[in-house]
Amino acid sequence: MSRTLVPVLGDQLSHDLASLPDEDPASCIVLMMEVWDEATYVKHHPQKIALLFSAMRHFAAELEEKGYEVDYVKLDDEGNSGSFTGEVERASARHDVDAIRIVEAGERRVMDAIAGWEHRFGLPVTILPDTRFICSIAEFCAWAQGRKGLRMEHFYREMRAKTGLLMDGEEPVVGRWNFDAENRDSADPDTHFPERPTFAPDEITQGVIDLVAERFGEHFGTLDSFGWPVTAAQAEEALDDFIAHRLPCFGATQDAMLTGEDFMNHALLSTSINCGLLDPLEVCQRAEQAYRDGYAPIEAVEGFIRQIIGWREYIRGIYWWEDRDYGAENFFGNRRHLPDFYWTGETDMHCLAEAVRTTREHAYAHHIQRLMILGNFALIAGVRPRDVQDWFLVVYADAYEWVEQPNVVGMALYADGGDMASKPYAASGNYINKMSDYCGQCRYDVKKKTGEDACPFNALYWDFMDRNRDKLEGNHRIGRIFATWDRMGDERKEEYRESAAAFLKTLSPADDGWAR
């Protein structure tokens, strides 16, 4: 009987994966691989490696219970070649298969490897679209073709219409597409937030944690707080918890930041969605039902759904639409190395210290910490985009190149010159003070604009605008800012420049060995 080898990658842990035949499990051999190349092409946070290896081992057991033959290669198995290609070659020889079938990989480097398999192995290789995404790559490229600006809002509305989410016929519910304006509140430091749902390691997970601690203990981050869902059942439990306890209050404070409140009302579902334990459309449908039932307000539900069928799908489309040199974009010509405190957290800037702390402890920080603290600082300090991309790919449990690269290049750093975002997300300390309690616990004074004790974001912001004026003055969303700059006296302008320069001299470059 002819049989097909079906490799399943670590971010494809879905029972409805297009390559898995429901009706005839015996017709294929499922290959799952823990390989050194994938764990170390950047030095991933130990929690990400533990999450994926544990989820893979649990998923393999579930497939076997459904009748699939699973050839599972553990990281420390004798003979493990360390690469996807090497393991597919070994498995093809072990099982005498006559074809290979795989769902398209999420990252270019893996797709490049898959593209060479047919020639290398002399076997037909079928590459299937990843139907877990609402918008296929071909569909996104057709949408993007000929457009001057690829704005997420336009794409998002088409995804709303396609899925029917929060729609009344052909119109959005209550006549509005977007409730972003209602979702920008700060949070009172005394606000009570629900506990984060965590999942105690079972025997499989504990074995993985021990393996990761031994093999990858020098990587940035700690395993001490590991509690991510590693099965679909656990991920569903986490979704239930979010819908019941945090979704109703999610919207208003989704952009807020508080010292020590690492999770607030955020969903914490991206790790499960991105590796396949949760179906993104079903997650959105659950949130929509909470609105239809009167349990959660429209502004909270719309904001949550927009992050998934709008932003997540859009970012994935951008990754495949842009050419493979997109990661090298550097619109502002930034050359500064990533500061060392992105790894150590040792900085007097309380906001950055907090963002790095939660990243180190949980392999997680919410989107405003990532964009308006970590990304904003790198932008206005002139850090090299490639350094920032490497860092974001290393440190977060939900990070894959397809989601990380466009978010950093196009959103956080405006390194593509506006192909994706309509303006750079640069901000002074005033924004951080408005949206958090960080500034009240910082040794720098956010109300001071220049000088040794002034918040560094203040001088860096104006220095960034000044040195990039020729590239930004024509931007209709921020051009008026230069009128404010022009009203300042020459002496005041020079104070901003000097304060920025003095602070930047204090930065120590990171040891690049952390990342690669």
Side-chain angles (χ1 to χ4, degrees):
M1 181 181 70
S2 63
R3 290 208 289 179
T4 299
L5 186 68
V6 178
V8 173
L9 307 180
D11 59 350
Q12 297 179 344
L13 309 181
S14 305
H15 285 282
D16 59 356
L17 193 69
S19 58
L20 294 173
D22 287 335
E23 297 179 358
D24 189 13
S27 66
C28 69
I29 296 171
V30 176
L31 174 65
M32 297 184 69
M33 308 155 277
E34 299 170 5
V35 295
W36 187 261
D37 284 0
E38 292 305 300
T40 59
Y41 70 92
V42 295
K43 293 183 177 179
H44 300 286
H45 195 297
Q47 289 198 32
K48 180 181 180 181
I49 302 173
L51 164 67
L52 291 180
F53 284 2
S54 177
M56 288 168 63
R57 294 185 185 190
H58 283 92
F59 186 70
E62 292 172 2
L63 289 180
E64 289 175 338
E65 289 180 2
K66 293 176 69 173
Y68 288 96
E69 180 180 345
V70 181
D71 184 348
Y72 194 97
V73 182
K74 293 183 177 180
L75 186 75
D76 51 1
D77 280 352
E78 184 177 354
N80 187 330
S81 66
S83 73
F84 285 150
T85 297
E87 288 314 296
V88 171
E89 185 170 35
R90 292 203 312 139
S92 298
R94 280 196 300 272
H95 300 289
D96 193 27
V97 297
D98 55 11
I100 299 170
R101 182 173 65 245
I102 188 170
V103 169
E104 61 190 0
E107 300 184 353
R108 279 197 174 92
R109 60 185 180 77
V110 182
M111 282 299 290
D112 288 345
I114 294 170
W117 287 356
E118 189 162 287
H119 175 74
R120 176 163 178 163
F121 305 142
L123 294 170
V125 178
T126 301
I127 304 173
L128 301 172
D130 193 341
T131 55
R132 299 172 302 164
F133 285 91
I134 295 162
C135 181
S136 70
I137 295 170
E139 183 183 357
F140 185 91
C141 291
W143 173 83
Q145 188 70 42
R147 291 177 181 263
K148 292 183 179 180
L150 304 181
R151 300 295 176 248
M152 191 278 289
E153 183 66 23
H154 303 148
F155 172 79
Y156 165 58
R157 295 184 184 190
E158 292 197 18
M159 293 302 100
R160 285 272 295 277
K162 178 178 181 177
T163 61
L165 289 163
L166 297 179
M167 299 293 290
D168 285 336
E170 296 183 357
E171 298 298 320
V173 294
V174 303
R176 287 178 59 185
W177 292 100
N178 188 311
F179 289 81
D180 195 38
E182 285 85 352
N183 291 339
R184 296 174 179 170
D185 292 348
S186 57
D188 190 305
D190 294 329
T191 304
H192 171 73
F193 296 99
E195 290 293 319
R196 169 201 181 194
T198 57
F199 300 87
D202 61 8
E203 184 177 352
I204 292 175
T205 301
Q206 189 58 56
V208 167
I209 289 173
D210 294 341
L211 170 71
V212 172
E214 178 184 351
R215 297 296 186 92
F216 310 104
E218 81 283 4
H219 288 201
F220 168 87
T222 175
L223 286 159
D224 293 346
S225 65
F226 185 88
W228 295 108
V230 294
T231 66
Q234 289 180 348
E236 287 286 345
E237 186 178 335
L239 173 59
D240 291 344
D241 183 271
F242 170 65
I243 297 292
H245 300 297
R246 297 194 300 285
L247 176 60
C249 299
F250 164 78
T253 60
Q254 66 172 299
D255 288 359
M257 298 168 284
L258 292 175
T259 299
E261 290 288 354
D262 297 340
F263 309 112
M264 303 177 72
N265 284 313
H266 289 277
L268 310 177
L269 299 175
S270 57
T271 54
S272 296
I273 293 173
N274 286 356
C275 75
L277 299 181
L278 286 175
D279 178 83
L281 182 57
E282 291 179 3
V283 169
C284 291
Q285 289 168 339
R286 287 285 309 278
E288 180 190 35
Q289 193 60 50
Y291 162 71
R292 301 282 186 185
D293 292 342
Y295 184 72
I298 182 61
E299 58 269 21
V301 173
E302 187 278 320
F304 175 68
I305 287 176
R306 177 160 27 95
Q307 288 187 356
I308 298 177
I309 70 164
W311 195 251
R312 180 176 184 270
E313 295 277 336
Y314 168 77
I315 284 293
R316 188 244 193 174
I318 290 287
Y319 176 76
W320 289 105
W321 165 255
E322 296 286 352
D323 61 39
R324 59 181 59 242
D325 294 328
Y326 188 65
E329 295 279 3
N330 190 357
F331 178 66
F332 296 117
N334 292 335
R335 297 183 178 181
R336 187 175 308 282
H337 288 273
L338 189 77
D340 188 58
F341 61 69
Y342 274 74
W343 300 111
T344 66
E346 296 175 1
T347 172
D348 288 340
M349 291 177 285
H350 182 62
C351 58
L352 279 155
E354 272 292 282
V356 174
R357 178 195 58 76
T358 186
T359 298
R360 181 176 58 249
E361 292 180 3
H362 306 297
Y364 168 85
H366 73 68
H367 66 286
I368 294 299
Q369 291 171 312
R370 299 189 200 195
L371 176 64
M372 298 307 299
I373 303 295
L374 298 159
N376 178 27
F377 182 87
L379 170 65
I380 62 180
V383 178
R384 299 188 307 179
R386 179 62 72 182
D387 283 16
V388 185
Q389 290 174 66
D390 282 350
W391 187 83
F392 272 87
L393 186 57
V394 164
V395 301
Y396 293 117
D398 58 2
Y400 301 86
E401 188 180 73
W402 67 263
V403 66
E404 166 273 322
Q405 186 184 89
N407 267 305
V408 171
V409 173
M411 185 70 168
L413 300 187
Y414 202 75
D416 63 2
D419 287 352
M420 197 177 101
S422 60
K423 68 167 186 175
Y425 280 82
S428 68
N430 183 57
Y431 174 86
I432 299 169
N433 192 37
K434 176 185 175 183
M435 298 306 300
S436 76
D437 68 349
Y438 291 158
C439 299
Q441 303 178 57
C442 187
R443 91 108 171 134
Y444 294 107
D445 188 343
V446 71
K447 295 181 180 179
K448 288 186 177 181
K449 305 304 181 183
T450 59
E452 184 177 336
D453 294 326
C455 171
F457 279 85
N458 293 335
L460 290 176
Y461 170 78
W462 283 113
D463 185 63
F464 165 79
M465 298 303 296
D466 180 43
R467 69 178 185 267
N468 293 298
R469 181 168 189 160
D470 61 329
K471 296 183 176 182
L472 296 176
E473 190 170 16
N475 186 301
H476 71 281
R477 293 195 65 188
I478 61 172
R480 65 185 183 278
I481 291 172
F482 293 100
T484 302
W485 176 252
D486 290 340
R487 287 194 294 270
M488 298 181 192
D490 290 343
E491 182 177 346
R492 188 58 168 157
K493 291 178 182 177
E494 193 57 29
E495 287 175 356
Y496 275 117
R497 296 187 187 106
E498 290 178 355
S499 287
F503 175 79
L504 291 171
K505 286 181 180 179
T506 70
L507 300 181
S508 299
D511 176 1
D512 288 342
W514 275 109
R516 293 185 182 271

